[in-house]
Amino acid sequence: MQDRRIEPRMLCADLVEVQWRDKNGKLRRAIANLEDISLSGACVQLEVAIPLNTTLRIVHGKGALHGQVRYCVYREIGYFLGIEFDPDCKWSQSNFRPQHLLDPRKLVARTQQQASDQHTA
């Protein structure tokens, strides 16, 4: 699976509600684990598969993020769905901050700094 997002992904862990309509038009809801998020998309883990190109909403305390399912892959513990947000929908930490949020770039920088400190000590 190719990573096509231009923006950095923020690793996260939070439970969110997702909503979509099934093939019969019935509104479906489920609790999903939010795995990562960026300005233009997110990855959620669910217990059910959702077809590609399905419109999906990620509901949070201050509103919702809406987009389309771009991939749905089963991996040992559930289905991982890649959601591409609609063009008029961008994620912002000021609107929604997942419970656990980690910028992997900061982790890499910290690890490199620690390695540099050990070499100069």
Side-chain angles (χ1 to χ4, degrees):
M1 185 175 350
Q2 183 179 353
D3 184 356
R4 295 181 295 203
R5 281 189 238 170
I6 299 170
E7 311 90 19
R9 292 176 187 232
M10 303 291 279
L11 300 176
C12 50
D14 203 349
L15 295 177
V16 293
E17 180 180 322
V18 293
Q19 302 174 351
W20 73 98
R21 294 202 178 271
D22 66 17
K23 64 182 178 182
N24 298 318
K26 183 175 180 183
L27 181 64
R28 299 290 183 177
R29 299 169 192 240
I31 299 299
N33 186 35
L34 183 63
E35 296 285 328
D36 70 51
I37 196 163
S38 71
L39 291 175
S40 63
C43 176
V44 296
Q45 177 197 348
L46 286 169
E47 294 182 2
V48 297
I50 299 177
L52 299 182
N53 301 315
T54 298
T55 298
L56 182 137
R57 294 177 37 145
I58 298 172
V59 180
H60 57 81
K62 293 184 179 179
L65 298 163
H66 43 92
Q68 309 291 316
V69 175
R70 295 300 181 214
Y71 66 82
C72 180
V73 179
Y74 183 80
R75 292 189 197 132
E76 298 176 14
I77 57 173
Y79 292 92
F80 289 79
L81 282 72
I83 310 303
E84 179 182 15
F85 297 146
D86 292 341
D88 63 343
C89 180
K90 297 287 183 199
W91 169 68
S92 164
Q93 286 189 51
S94 61
N95 287 335
F96 170 55
R97 182 174 174 82
Q99 186 173 6
H100 301 285
L101 188 65
L102 173 67
D103 185 342
R105 297 169 302 171
K106 290 181 180 178
L107 184 61
V108 169
R110 188 178 323 140
T111 302
Q112 290 173 341
Q113 182 62 45
Q114 289 172 346
S116 176
D117 292 347
Q118 288 177 352
H119 284 93
T120 56

